[in-house]
Amino acid sequence: MSSLPLVDADRWPGVARTPYSPVRAAAARRILRRAVRDLPLVVLLPDRSRLGAGGPGAPVLEIVGEQFFHRIGADLKIGFGEAYLAGDWRPGDGTDLADLLTVFAQKLGDLVPPVLQRFRKLIEPRMPREEINDRSGARSNIARHYDLSNELFGLFLDETMTYSSAWFDGQPTGFGQLAAAQRRKIDGVLDYAGVQPGTRLLEIGTGWGQLAIQAAERGAIVTSVTLSAEQRDLARKRIAEAGVDAEVELRDYRDARGQYDAVVSVEMIEAVGARYWPAYFATIDRLLAPRGRFALQSITMPHDRLLATQHAQGWIHQYIFPGGLIPSLTAIEQIAATAGGLRIEQRRDFGPSYAHTLRLWRERFTSRAGEVANLGFDAVFRRMWEFYLAYSEAGFRAGYLGVSQLALVRKD
């Protein structure tokens, strides 16, 4: 039986209803058996038999019922996450969710047999047309995540309200040091952009205002644009409380006007979508003054994985970031050059810092589950966010995902 028997079917249709296909479920069982036979984990089946090559102390995945196989048989990528939300599988006693998911992330390209990978374009769902990031789609996609509740984000973010990777300089430390690591990250971006007194600065993607505050404290003339009304309102409040001047506008980046000595964007390109990456870089080229600098922080994935998955709808798109797509460094370099006339001058990689940032957020989120519930977020939502944070952490721990700061200048 699922551990979440009462699910709002209108709110969570994919969780409340289990697909039924005995043929696909049987095929999924065979694929799982093959996929985990050499992995350093244990899969505990409903009949208590065991799969996997893990020994004592290895992570344990406990499958609660046969409905698990029907879900992953219908759609492996979406079904696996939905099965967790439904309680159809869980980490075994003493197993951390991210530790378990990291084992899978380390072998992500090999879990599905090559013969089946050839058919992925035929069987994987495509990104819905309404989630494409034209102006109306971008507004809707951003609202579905960032306008959930400022109070929700405040429960697990640090005092800077920064929702992107921190930069830990040396050995990662606890939550009490997260704010300093976030300020260090922002200073790194501002340094790459050459921000100093009098710099005319445009920020694409405001967040909750910390970068605008730190840039204004340097004496920059700051304009920041966002599509999130919730973020705009709190960012304006935080900027005023900090005693600095910065403009925050509810505006699509494509509609920004003016000339700027520097443009910065922190983990916003992932919400642009491949179709609009050329427009993104062309817009930056249009807005940059002569000898201007662009500083970008982006999550990245390997280029071959980008090419293989860029049109598919996965669990993270369906439940967390509709319309999102993580670029590769190769894609950034190529499109920045061809569409924006920009080249990468400097680069800083710090993927392990993101893994640690996500672990701190998840620990904070789960420890304050009661407060999350009091904001009106039900048990399925809380499991969804726990899975999202652990899933993301696993990607960075495995090296499947990275994060980079880039300084871009006009090509010679």
Side-chain angles (χ1 to χ4, degrees):
M1 293 290 293
S2 167
S3 63
L4 291 173
L6 299 177
V7 176
D8 184 339
D10 292 330
R11 175 76 175 84
W12 307 105
V15 179
R17 293 190 290 273
T18 304
Y20 181 73
S21 175
V23 173
R24 287 193 172 197
R29 183 185 287 270
R30 289 193 296 271
I31 291 171
L32 177 70
R33 187 178 298 274
R34 174 193 175 278
V36 304
R37 66 188 176 194
D38 297 322
L39 295 184
L41 53 69
V42 173
V43 176
L44 193 60
L45 297 172
D47 63 5
R48 313 313 288 175
S49 60
R50 300 160 72 92
L51 304 174
V60 176
L61 186 156
E62 183 178 353
I63 297 173
V64 176
E66 292 298 321
Q67 59 268 35
F68 169 85
F69 295 103
H70 290 272
R71 288 187 189 274
I72 67 170
D75 187 309
L76 175 60
K77 292 197 298 186
I78 295 177
F80 185 72
E82 285 183 339
Y84 182 77
L85 304 192
D88 295 338
W89 68 269
R90 61 193 175 212
D93 291 343
T95 294
D96 177 76
L97 181 57
D99 290 347
L100 174 61
L101 295 175
T102 299
V103 177
F104 289 104
Q106 288 168 335
K107 297 291 184 181
L108 201 57
D110 303 322
L111 293 177
V112 178
V115 66
L116 294 181
Q117 291 191 33
R118 298 193 192 106
F119 297 98
R120 81 182 319 144
K121 291 184 179 180
L122 299 177
I123 62 177
E124 285 186 332
R126 307 277 283 186
M127 186 177 295
R129 174 66 183 84
E130 62 270 18
E131 292 181 5
I132 293 174
N133 288 291
D134 56 16
R135 282 171 173 78
S136 63
R139 283 193 298 273
S140 174
N141 290 339
I142 290 297
R144 284 171 58 185
H145 187 86
Y146 294 96
D147 286 349
L148 284 169
S149 162
N150 286 337
E151 291 77 12
L152 170 68
F153 288 97
L155 287 177
F156 69 92
L157 298 179
D158 65 88
E159 66 190 54
T160 69
M161 287 292 289
T162 307
Y163 187 43
S164 52
S165 180
W167 175 20
F168 291 93
D169 187 13
Q171 188 68 26
T173 48
F175 189 85
Q177 289 73 45
L178 181 55
Q182 291 289 10
R183 292 187 176 97
R184 180 184 302 113
K185 173 274 297 295
I186 291 170
D187 280 335
V189 172
L190 296 178
D191 289 344
Y192 269 5
V195 175
Q196 56 189 335
T199 298
R200 296 170 297 169
L201 174 66
L202 173 68
E203 179 188 20
I204 298 176
T206 304
W208 284 278
Q210 185 63 31
L211 188 146
I213 290 169
Q214 288 181 224
E217 288 173 342
R218 291 189 178 201
I221 304 165
V222 182
T223 301
S224 185
V225 297
T226 179
L227 288 178
S228 168
E230 289 271 331
Q231 288 191 328
R232 175 203 58 188
D233 294 344
L234 185 52
R236 285 177 172 176
K237 181 175 183 290
R238 295 185 69 242
I239 289 165
E241 290 173 347
V244 295
D245 292 324
E247 294 293 327
V248 181
E249 301 173 353
L250 195 65
R251 189 183 302 277
D252 191 290
Y253 69 92
R254 287 162 287 205
D255 297 326
R257 294 291 180 267
Q259 287 280 284
Y260 299 91
D261 306 305
V263 176
V264 296
S265 186
V266 175
E267 293 183 30
M268 181 272 178
I269 192 174
E270 302 87 345
V272 170
R275 176 181 295 194
Y276 295 101
W277 285 339
Y280 174 83
F281 284 106
T283 298
I284 291 162
D285 177 49
R286 172 174 59 80
L287 295 168
L288 272 180
R291 296 183 296 281
R293 297 178 66 85
F294 174 44
L296 171 70
Q297 179 168 313
S298 176
I299 301 170
T300 63
M301 68 163 59
H303 193 61
D304 62 332
R305 302 306 302 163
L306 168 64
L307 296 178
T309 63
Q310 63 181 321
H311 300 298
Q313 178 83 342
W315 182 88
I316 203 79
H317 304 111
Q318 184 151 321
Y319 284 92
I320 304 295
F321 289 115
L325 182 64
I326 294 171
S328 66
L329 284 166
T330 298
I332 291 171
E333 184 174 33
Q334 291 176 348
I335 300 170
T338 56
L342 300 167
R343 63 176 176 84
I344 297 173
E345 182 183 68
Q346 294 174 279
R347 169 180 154 193
R348 177 185 296 120
D349 304 322
F350 50 107
S353 281
Y354 218 152
H356 190 61
T357 301
L358 285 155
R359 177 164 289 258
L360 294 175
W361 287 346
R362 181 165 58 96
E363 290 172 352
R364 183 87 160 178
F365 182 88
T366 55
S367 72
R368 307 185 78 175
E371 294 170 82
V372 176
N374 289 338
L375 291 174
F377 296 101
D378 65 12
V380 176
F381 179 92
R382 298 193 299 273
R383 288 175 71 88
M384 179 180 75
W385 269 66
E386 179 190 18
F387 185 80
Y388 147 57
L389 294 170
Y391 174 94
S392 302
E393 179 187 337
F396 287 100
R397 286 171 59 179
Y400 179 82
L401 298 177
V403 64
S404 298
Q405 289 183 351
L406 306 173
L408 296 98
V409 297
R410 285 208 166 88
K411 294 162 62 179
D412 296 331

